[in-house]
Amino acid sequence: MTLETQKETRGFESEVKQLLDLVINSLYSNREIFLRELISNASDAIGKLRFAALSDDSLYESESDMLITLDYSNEHNTITVCDNGIGLSRDEAVENLGTIARSGTKEFFGSLTGDQRKDSELIGQFGVGFYAAFIVADRVVVTSRKAGLAKTEGVRWESIGDGEFSIETVERAKRGTEVILHLKDDAKEFANGFQLRELCKRYSDHISIPIQMPKEGEDEEGVETINAATALWLRNKSDISDEEYQEFYKGLSYDFTEPMSWVHSHVEGKHEYTSLFYIPGAAPFDLWDNERNRGIKLYVQRIFIMEESEQILPRYLRFVRGVIDTNDLPLNVSRELLQRNKVIDAIRAGSIKKVLGAIERIAKSDDYAKFWSEFGRVLKEGVIEDFDNRDRVAKLLRFSSTRDSLPDADVSLEEYISRKKEDQENIYFIVADGFGAAKNSPHLEAFRKADIEVLLLHEPVDEWLVSHLTEFEGMALKSAAHGDLQELGSEQEEQTNDAEDDKLVERIKNALENMVADVRVSRRLTDSPACLVSGDNQMSANLERILKATGQEVPDSKRTLEVNREHPMLQCMDHFQDEDEFATWASLLFEQSVLAEGGRLEDPAGFVKRMNDALLKMASG
């Protein structure tokens, strides 16, 4: 007997141990989902066999009827789930049942809170899959053989969920997988034909593979199919209840929460396809994981081909879950072929419209605040990525503004325009690295005095958003921190006419000649002594900080210092005769402006020393 055929014991990887503990303890109140997970795995295995058999039909091994069988034993206190799908080799059993080879694992465990209810939802989003068996079983035995391998190359995997599993090579006549659950004493209730049928009806009725059980009753013999065995998305919408849609979503997405909305459609004409898209009720923990496959399953002639939504939906709609089923693509379609296929282009365009339509309907309801809090940052990317639908996406955007002291984003661009001042030509905004920095920016002082609303943008994506969304319904979007804003008509206009002759401005400019591009009297400021302003075509300071934080090189650029000529600090500086003392105060003026907009000083210790020296000198004299 070789080492390969011997029975050996191995340890689970640490992530599996953590997951098993969480599954067993956090999902106890929702134990029945174990059956949904195992049947879903069986269905996936059959789908993989069908796909592989497209290029090698010998994998069917003269058995092309696909089946999932479900049985139980009161005597042995077991439940058995079998499929005749692709099966597992020995190496695959070790890899798939002993490790979690999925990106986002680290982020998943980092997202857990310790709150059982919240964590159970996260576990659902992660997809507990096979490990759900340990919710009800204290021993699980998996026997399998991969299609195409010899009968002597079967594999048996066994574990009691304590951190270890055994693996051995066995003889197995049939391809596919058998999972036997040895139930815990407090889970014997599941070894019941009526309950198993009811759970299959509730969670797996949409599975297009027949699920068969032995008939019940003394006079009954043979087996019966206990599910509809028809893909839910191919059924008539009028025949599908809301509960069925919701349960299908949970099986599709591994999400225990109910979806916020869904849209189900059948398209006929030049291209024919069926789509069913869901808007989740909450953002998945790995929404920002770029390596993760997205949640659109592509079927061709009801055969599952791949799960990859970027060809079907753009990245800014990556939170959408659902299926596409079409007869217009070849069964052996590849990702490379999808990228240059006109059928997919048509499906993609139609799918985007369907999803945006669903979001627009949510936008008319009270649920939109929740939608925006979960997916708003992602939807903003649509303005950048989707030129064809930019205006449509822009109408769905929501912002914080100076009309409210709270960070809740509930102002649309259409609302902003509806209440703008009569002679106002621009939509004004300010971008900062936090709501507090945006709300309290000195750049907004003159706007508040003139009662002009300003949108407060405080998320990293906003810098790219406003660089692509330059106008909306004929109004230009203009930064409150760029340019000289002559259109404000500030009450300080008279003093700015003499700015070029202002000796104080010239002294400040000379003192800061290596630090600023220019110094001028401000139209923006009413309370603060100074602020830094970027040119109309100049990169903002906030964007510079974001790019530097990502390691990108940013060319050095100087900005204009605007000063409030009426502020006591400026009036005090006007009387300094000592140029060194004046230069110190000019530096403090500049550094305060950097800090006020959320920037970082190159020499914070020097700033503190200069500030302390100035304060001590004032206190002593």
Side-chain angles (χ1 to χ4, degrees), residues 577-613:
Q577 301 300 317
D578 186 295
E579 290 303 320
D580 289 337
E581 183 179 14
F582 183 88
T584 296
W585 278 72
S587 295
L588 291 174
L589 196 67
F590 170 79
E591 290 166 321
Q592 284 182 359
S593 300
V594 173
L595 293 174
E597 65 180 15
R600 297 181 61 181
L601 300 177
E602 292 186 7
D603 181 16
F607 167 75
V608 171
K609 183 178 186 306
R610 284 188 290 276
M611 178 65 75
N612 289 339
D613 289 345

mmCIF file of all heavy atoms in Angstrom, residues 577-613:
data_model
loop_
_atom_site.group_PDB
_atom_site.id
_atom_site.type_symbol
_atom_site.label_atom_id
_atom_site.label_comp_id
_atom_site.label_asym_id
_atom_site.label_seq_id
_atom_site.Cartn_x
_atom_site.Cartn_y
_atom_site.Cartn_z
ATOM 1 N N GLN A 577 7.034 96.564 12.360
ATOM 2 C CA GLN A 577 8.142 97.221 11.679
ATOM 3 C C GLN A 577 9.307 96.266 11.448
ATOM 4 O O GLN A 577 10.025 96.375 10.468
ATOM 5 C CB GLN A 577 8.616 98.436 12.501
ATOM 6 C CG GLN A 577 7.543 99.487 12.739
ATOM 7 C CD GLN A 577 7.011 100.054 11.430
ATOM 8 O OE1 GLN A 577 7.784 100.351 10.504
ATOM 9 N NE2 GLN A 577 5.689 100.204 11.339
ATOM 10 N N ASP A 578 9.464 95.335 12.402
ATOM 11 C CA ASP A 578 10.552 94.360 12.306
ATOM 12 C C ASP A 578 10.203 93.317 11.239
ATOM 13 O O ASP A 578 9.218 92.590 11.360
ATOM 14 C CB ASP A 578 10.763 93.683 13.665
ATOM 15 C CG ASP A 578 11.969 92.762 13.668
ATOM 16 O OD1 ASP A 578 11.936 91.749 12.939
ATOM 17 O OD2 ASP A 578 12.935 93.046 14.398
ATOM 18 N N GLU A 579 11.018 93.211 10.201
ATOM 19 C CA GLU A 579 10.710 92.311 9.095
ATOM 20 C C GLU A 579 10.813 90.844 9.483
ATOM 21 O O GLU A 579 10.086 90.001 8.957
ATOM 22 C CB GLU A 579 11.625 92.603 7.904
ATOM 23 C CG GLU A 579 11.340 93.920 7.214
ATOM 24 C CD GLU A 579 9.896 94.023 6.721
ATOM 25 O OE1 GLU A 579 9.367 93.010 6.204
ATOM 26 O OE2 GLU A 579 9.287 95.094 6.885
ATOM 27 N N ASP A 580 11.711 90.523 10.429
ATOM 28 C CA ASP A 580 11.808 89.136 10.879
ATOM 29 C C ASP A 580 10.533 88.722 11.615
ATOM 30 O O ASP A 580 10.017 87.611 11.428
ATOM 31 C CB ASP A 580 13.014 88.949 11.797
ATOM 32 C CG ASP A 580 14.325 89.032 11.046
ATOM 33 O OD1 ASP A 580 14.309 88.802 9.813
ATOM 34 O OD2 ASP A 580 15.357 89.316 11.677
ATOM 35 N N GLU A 581 10.029 89.626 12.475
ATOM 36 C CA GLU A 581 8.784 89.338 13.186
ATOM 37 C C GLU A 581 7.622 89.236 12.200
ATOM 38 O O GLU A 581 6.762 88.363 12.320
ATOM 39 C CB GLU A 581 8.502 90.438 14.213
ATOM 40 C CG GLU A 581 7.251 90.160 15.050
ATOM 41 C CD GLU A 581 6.985 91.242 16.088
ATOM 42 O OE1 GLU A 581 7.601 92.331 15.978
ATOM 43 O OE2 GLU A 581 6.170 91.000 16.975
ATOM 44 N N PHE A 582 7.611 90.104 11.193
ATOM 45 C CA PHE A 582 6.555 90.069 10.181
ATOM 46 C C PHE A 582 6.606 88.751 9.413
ATOM 47 O O PHE A 582 5.569 88.135 9.134
ATOM 48 C CB PHE A 582 6.718 91.249 9.222
ATOM 49 C CG PHE A 582 5.635 91.326 8.191
ATOM 50 C CD1 PHE A 582 4.459 92.018 8.452
ATOM 51 C CD2 PHE A 582 5.772 90.692 6.950
ATOM 52 C CE1 PHE A 582 3.444 92.076 7.499
ATOM 53 C CE2 PHE A 582 4.777 90.742 6.005
ATOM 54 C CZ PHE A 582 3.599 91.448 6.277
ATOM 55 N N ALA A 583 7.819 88.298 9.058
ATOM 56 C CA ALA A 583 7.974 87.042 8.314
ATOM 57 C C ALA A 583 7.468 85.853 9.144
ATOM 58 O O ALA A 583 6.867 84.908 8.601
ATOM 59 C CB ALA A 583 9.435 86.834 7.937
ATOM 60 N N THR A 584 7.696 85.897 10.465
ATOM 61 C CA THR A 584 7.192 84.833 11.343
ATOM 62 C C THR A 584 5.675 84.777 11.300
ATOM 63 O O THR A 584 5.072 83.711 11.166
ATOM 64 C CB THR A 584 7.665 85.059 12.792
ATOM 65 O OG1 THR A 584 9.095 84.959 12.832
ATOM 66 C CG2 THR A 584 7.050 84.025 13.730
ATOM 67 N N TRP A 585 5.036 85.940 11.387
ATOM 68 C CA TRP A 585 3.575 85.980 11.364
ATOM 69 C C TRP A 585 3.033 85.590 9.980
ATOM 70 O O TRP A 585 1.985 84.958 9.867
ATOM 71 C CB TRP A 585 3.084 87.375 11.761
ATOM 72 C CG TRP A 585 3.053 87.537 13.265
ATOM 73 C CD1 TRP A 585 4.115 87.665 14.087
ATOM 74 C CD2 TRP A 585 1.887 87.557 14.090
ATOM 75 N NE1 TRP A 585 3.720 87.778 15.390
ATOM 76 C CE2 TRP A 585 2.342 87.717 15.419
ATOM 77 C CE3 TRP A 585 0.524 87.476 13.853
ATOM 78 C CZ2 TRP A 585 1.469 87.783 16.509
ATOM 79 C CZ3 TRP A 585 -0.337 87.549 14.933
ATOM 80 C CH2 TRP A 585 0.117 87.694 16.248
ATOM 81 N N ALA A 586 3.740 85.958 8.945
ATOM 82 C CA ALA A 586 3.323 85.558 7.600
ATOM 83 C C ALA A 586 3.377 84.031 7.456
ATOM 84 O O ALA A 586 2.486 83.417 6.862
ATOM 85 C CB ALA A 586 4.206 86.215 6.545
ATOM 86 N N SER A 587 4.426 83.423 8.028
ATOM 87 C CA SER A 587 4.531 81.964 8.002
ATOM 88 C C SER A 587 3.391 81.324 8.784
ATOM 89 O O SER A 587 2.808 80.317 8.352
ATOM 90 C CB SER A 587 5.876 81.508 8.586
ATOM 91 O OG SER A 587 6.951 81.939 7.775
ATOM 92 N N LEU A 588 3.072 81.915 9.954
ATOM 93 C CA LEU A 588 1.951 81.390 10.740
ATOM 94 C C LEU A 588 0.648 81.497 9.961
ATOM 95 O O LEU A 588 -0.201 80.587 10.011
ATOM 96 C CB LEU A 588 1.828 82.149 12.066
ATOM 97 C CG LEU A 588 2.947 81.914 13.089
ATOM 98 C CD1 LEU A 588 2.767 82.838 14.288
ATOM 99 C CD2 LEU A 588 2.945 80.452 13.549
ATOM 100 N N LEU A 589 0.489 82.581 9.243
ATOM 101 C CA LEU A 589 -0.719 82.780 8.438
ATOM 102 C C LEU A 589 -0.837 81.677 7.374
ATOM 103 O O LEU A 589 -1.911 81.094 7.171
ATOM 104 C CB LEU A 589 -0.655 84.153 7.772
ATOM 105 C CG LEU A 589 -1.950 84.731 7.199
ATOM 106 C CD1 LEU A 589 -2.923 85.049 8.310
ATOM 107 C CD2 LEU A 589 -1.636 85.991 6.403
ATOM 108 N N PHE A 590 0.267 81.379 6.713
ATOM 109 C CA PHE A 590 0.282 80.345 5.690
ATOM 110 C C PHE A 590 0.027 78.963 6.294
ATOM 111 O O PHE A 590 -0.781 78.170 5.777
ATOM 112 C CB PHE A 590 1.639 80.361 4.973
ATOM 113 C CG PHE A 590 1.860 79.201 4.059
ATOM 114 C CD1 PHE A 590 1.290 79.161 2.795
ATOM 115 C CD2 PHE A 590 2.638 78.110 4.467
ATOM 116 C CE1 PHE A 590 1.485 78.075 1.953
ATOM 117 C CE2 PHE A 590 2.836 77.028 3.634
ATOM 118 C CZ PHE A 590 2.258 77.020 2.366
ATOM 119 N N GLU A 591 0.708 78.666 7.404
ATOM 120 C CA GLU A 591 0.583 77.339 8.008
ATOM 121 C C GLU A 591 -0.810 77.105 8.580
ATOM 122 O O GLU A 591 -1.345 75.997 8.516
ATOM 123 C CB GLU A 591 1.655 77.171 9.086
ATOM 124 C CG GLU A 591 3.062 77.066 8.485
ATOM 125 C CD GLU A 591 4.169 77.238 9.509
ATOM 126 O OE1 GLU A 591 4.027 78.089 10.419
ATOM 127 O OE2 GLU A 591 5.177 76.527 9.411
ATOM 128 N N GLN A 592 -1.423 78.156 9.138
ATOM 129 C CA GLN A 592 -2.804 78.024 9.603
ATOM 130 C C GLN A 592 -3.732 77.690 8.434
ATOM 131 O O GLN A 592 -4.672 76.906 8.579
ATOM 132 C CB GLN A 592 -3.264 79.329 10.260
ATOM 133 C CG GLN A 592 -2.715 79.560 11.644
ATOM 134 C CD GLN A 592 -3.244 80.856 12.248
ATOM 135 O OE1 GLN A 592 -4.011 81.572 11.607
ATOM 136 N NE2 GLN A 592 -2.826 81.138 13.474
ATOM 137 N N SER A 593 -3.476 78.265 7.295
ATOM 138 C CA SER A 593 -4.306 78.011 6.115
ATOM 139 C C SER A 593 -4.180 76.565 5.657
ATOM 140 O O SER A 593 -5.165 75.952 5.222
ATOM 141 C CB SER A 593 -3.906 78.958 4.979
ATOM 142 O OG SER A 593 -4.085 80.308 5.369
ATOM 143 N N VAL A 594 -2.971 76.014 5.752
ATOM 144 C CA VAL A 594 -2.768 74.614 5.398
ATOM 145 C C VAL A 594 -3.552 73.711 6.350
ATOM 146 O O VAL A 594 -4.251 72.781 5.927
ATOM 147 C CB VAL A 594 -1.268 74.254 5.427
ATOM 148 C CG1 VAL A 594 -1.064 72.750 5.221
ATOM 149 C CG2 VAL A 594 -0.509 75.039 4.374
ATOM 150 N N LEU A 595 -3.447 73.993 7.651
ATOM 151 C CA LEU A 595 -4.145 73.171 8.638
ATOM 152 C C LEU A 595 -5.655 73.295 8.519
ATOM 153 O O LEU A 595 -6.393 72.314 8.683
ATOM 154 C CB LEU A 595 -3.708 73.578 10.055
ATOM 155 C CG LEU A 595 -2.249 73.278 10.425
ATOM 156 C CD1 LEU A 595 -1.915 73.870 11.779
ATOM 157 C CD2 LEU A 595 -2.001 71.775 10.424
ATOM 158 N N ALA A 596 -6.155 74.488 8.223
ATOM 159 C CA ALA A 596 -7.600 74.723 8.157
ATOM 160 C C ALA A 596 -8.259 73.906 7.053
ATOM 161 O O ALA A 596 -9.443 73.571 7.149
ATOM 162 C CB ALA A 596 -7.885 76.205 7.948
ATOM 163 N N GLU A 597 -7.515 73.553 6.008
ATOM 164 C CA GLU A 597 -8.094 72.768 4.923
ATOM 165 C C GLU A 597 -7.774 71.286 5.057
ATOM 166 O O GLU A 597 -8.024 70.497 4.157
ATOM 167 C CB GLU A 597 -7.581 73.275 3.572
ATOM 168 C CG GLU A 597 -6.096 73.098 3.367
ATOM 169 C CD GLU A 597 -5.621 73.615 2.015
ATOM 170 O OE1 GLU A 597 -6.392 74.357 1.368
ATOM 171 O OE2 GLU A 597 -4.494 73.263 1.619
ATOM 172 N N GLY A 598 -7.227 70.887 6.221
ATOM 173 C CA GLY A 598 -6.957 69.483 6.465
ATOM 174 C C GLY A 598 -5.607 69.011 5.995
ATOM 175 O O GLY A 598 -5.356 67.798 5.954
ATOM 176 N N GLY A 599 -4.709 69.924 5.636
ATOM 177 C CA GLY A 599 -3.393 69.540 5.156
ATOM 178 C C GLY A 599 -2.420 69.244 6.280
ATOM 179 O O GLY A 599 -2.721 69.421 7.467
ATOM 180 N N ARG A 600 -1.231 68.789 5.892
ATOM 181 C CA ARG A 600 -0.172 68.477 6.851
ATOM 182 C C ARG A 600 0.999 69.409 6.617
ATOM 183 O O ARG A 600 1.365 69.698 5.472
ATOM 184 C CB ARG A 600 0.280 67.021 6.693
ATOM 185 C CG ARG A 600 -0.804 66.005 6.979
ATOM 186 C CD ARG A 600 -0.290 64.591 6.821
ATOM 187 N NE ARG A 600 0.799 64.303 7.758
ATOM 188 C CZ ARG A 600 1.433 63.127 7.814
ATOM 189 N NH1 ARG A 600 1.107 62.172 6.964
ATOM 190 N NH2 ARG A 600 2.399 62.927 8.692
ATOM 191 N N LEU A 601 1.582 69.871 7.692
ATOM 192 C CA LEU A 601 2.727 70.776 7.611
ATOM 193 C C LEU A 601 4.012 69.982 7.427
ATOM 194 O O LEU A 601 4.170 68.889 7.986
ATOM 195 C CB LEU A 601 2.825 71.621 8.879
ATOM 196 C CG LEU A 601 1.620 72.508 9.204
ATOM 197 C CD1 LEU A 601 1.837 73.228 10.530
ATOM 198 C CD2 LEU A 601 1.368 73.506 8.089
ATOM 199 N N GLU A 602 4.916 70.526 6.658
ATOM 200 C CA GLU A 602 6.204 69.870 6.470
ATOM 201 C C GLU A 602 7.042 69.944 7.738
ATOM 202 O O GLU A 602 7.867 69.066 7.996
ATOM 203 C CB GLU A 602 6.958 70.523 5.308
ATOM 204 C CG GLU A 602 6.316 70.274 3.945
ATOM 205 C CD GLU A 602 7.162 70.812 2.817
ATOM 206 O OE1 GLU A 602 8.305 71.258 3.100
ATOM 207 O OE2 GLU A 602 6.708 70.788 1.666
ATOM 208 N N ASP A 603 6.828 71.003 8.534
ATOM 209 C CA ASP A 603 7.607 71.178 9.760
ATOM 210 C C ASP A 603 6.668 71.543 10.912
ATOM 211 O O ASP A 603 6.606 72.696 11.346
ATOM 212 C CB ASP A 603 8.650 72.286 9.559
ATOM 213 C CG ASP A 603 9.530 72.503 10.797
ATOM 214 O OD1 ASP A 603 9.538 71.608 11.672
ATOM 215 O OD2 ASP A 603 10.184 73.562 10.882
ATOM 216 N N PRO A 604 5.882 70.577 11.413
ATOM 217 C CA PRO A 604 4.930 70.893 12.486
ATOM 218 C C PRO A 604 5.611 71.400 13.762
ATOM 219 O O PRO A 604 5.073 72.260 14.453
ATOM 220 C CB PRO A 604 4.200 69.567 12.725
ATOM 221 C CG PRO A 604 5.074 68.516 12.125
ATOM 222 C CD PRO A 604 5.786 69.162 10.999
ATOM 223 N N ALA A 605 6.808 70.867 14.063
ATOM 224 C CA ALA A 605 7.504 71.326 15.260
ATOM 225 C C ALA A 605 7.907 72.792 15.131
ATOM 226 O O ALA A 605 7.824 73.573 16.086
ATOM 227 C CB ALA A 605 8.739 70.456 15.518
ATOM 228 N N GLY A 606 8.326 73.180 13.925
ATOM 229 C CA GLY A 606 8.687 74.579 13.694
ATOM 230 C C GLY A 606 7.472 75.484 13.841
ATOM 231 O O GLY A 606 7.579 76.603 14.378
ATOM 232 N N PHE A 607 6.325 75.022 13.345
ATOM 233 C CA PHE A 607 5.094 75.800 13.485
ATOM 234 C C PHE A 607 4.755 76.012 14.957
ATOM 235 O O PHE A 607 4.418 77.126 15.389
ATOM 236 C CB PHE A 607 3.951 75.090 12.768
ATOM 237 C CG PHE A 607 2.588 75.636 13.104
ATOM 238 C CD1 PHE A 607 2.164 76.847 12.586
ATOM 239 C CD2 PHE A 607 1.732 74.935 13.946
ATOM 240 C CE1 PHE A 607 0.914 77.359 12.898
ATOM 241 C CE2 PHE A 607 0.486 75.430 14.259
ATOM 242 C CZ PHE A 607 0.070 76.646 13.737
ATOM 243 N N VAL A 608 4.836 74.961 15.759
ATOM 244 C CA VAL A 608 4.517 75.060 17.180
ATOM 245 C C VAL A 608 5.463 76.042 17.880
ATOM 246 O O VAL A 608 5.036 76.862 18.694
ATOM 247 C CB VAL A 608 4.592 73.669 17.857
ATOM 248 C CG1 VAL A 608 4.469 73.788 19.371
ATOM 249 C CG2 VAL A 608 3.508 72.755 17.309
ATOM 250 N N LYS A 609 6.739 75.985 17.525
ATOM 251 C CA LYS A 609 7.713 76.900 18.155
ATOM 252 C C LYS A 609 7.402 78.348 17.786
ATOM 253 O O LYS A 609 7.411 79.240 18.645
ATOM 254 C CB LYS A 609 9.132 76.532 17.723
ATOM 255 C CG LYS A 609 10.220 77.377 18.389
ATOM 256 C CD LYS A 609 11.595 76.938 17.965
ATOM 257 C CE LYS A 609 12.664 77.689 18.756
ATOM 258 N NZ LYS A 609 12.532 79.150 18.684
ATOM 259 N N ARG A 610 7.125 78.580 16.498
ATOM 260 C CA ARG A 610 6.812 79.951 16.082
ATOM 261 C C ARG A 610 5.529 80.467 16.751
ATOM 262 O O ARG A 610 5.452 81.623 17.160
ATOM 263 C CB ARG A 610 6.682 80.007 14.558
ATOM 264 C CG ARG A 610 8.007 79.960 13.815
ATOM 265 C CD ARG A 610 7.830 80.207 12.324
ATOM 266 N NE ARG A 610 7.158 79.094 11.653
ATOM 267 C CZ ARG A 610 7.772 78.003 11.227
ATOM 268 N NH1 ARG A 610 9.098 77.883 11.408
ATOM 269 N NH2 ARG A 610 7.112 77.044 10.616
ATOM 270 N N MET A 611 4.551 79.585 16.864
ATOM 271 C CA MET A 611 3.304 79.975 17.497
ATOM 272 C C MET A 611 3.523 80.292 18.977
ATOM 273 O O MET A 611 3.030 81.306 19.503
ATOM 274 C CB MET A 611 2.264 78.850 17.339
ATOM 275 C CG MET A 611 0.925 79.124 18.013
ATOM 276 S SD MET A 611 0.034 80.513 17.274
ATOM 277 C CE MET A 611 -0.555 79.744 15.773
ATOM 278 N N ASN A 612 4.262 79.436 19.653
ATOM 279 C CA ASN A 612 4.526 79.669 21.076
ATOM 280 C C ASN A 612 5.314 80.948 21.303
ATOM 281 O O ASN A 612 5.035 81.718 22.231
ATOM 282 C CB ASN A 612 5.275 78.479 21.676
ATOM 283 C CG ASN A 612 4.397 77.244 21.811
ATOM 284 O OD1 ASN A 612 3.168 77.366 21.823
ATOM 285 N ND2 ASN A 612 5.017 76.081 21.923
ATOM 286 N N ASP A 613 6.318 81.192 20.464
ATOM 287 C CA ASP A 613 7.120 82.412 20.598
ATOM 288 C C ASP A 613 6.245 83.649 20.411
ATOM 289 O O ASP A 613 6.366 84.637 21.152
ATOM 290 C CB ASP A 613 8.259 82.424 19.573
ATOM 291 C CG ASP A 613 9.341 81.404 19.898
ATOM 292 O OD1 ASP A 613 9.348 80.905 21.038
ATOM 293 O OD2 ASP A 613 10.158 81.099 18.999
#
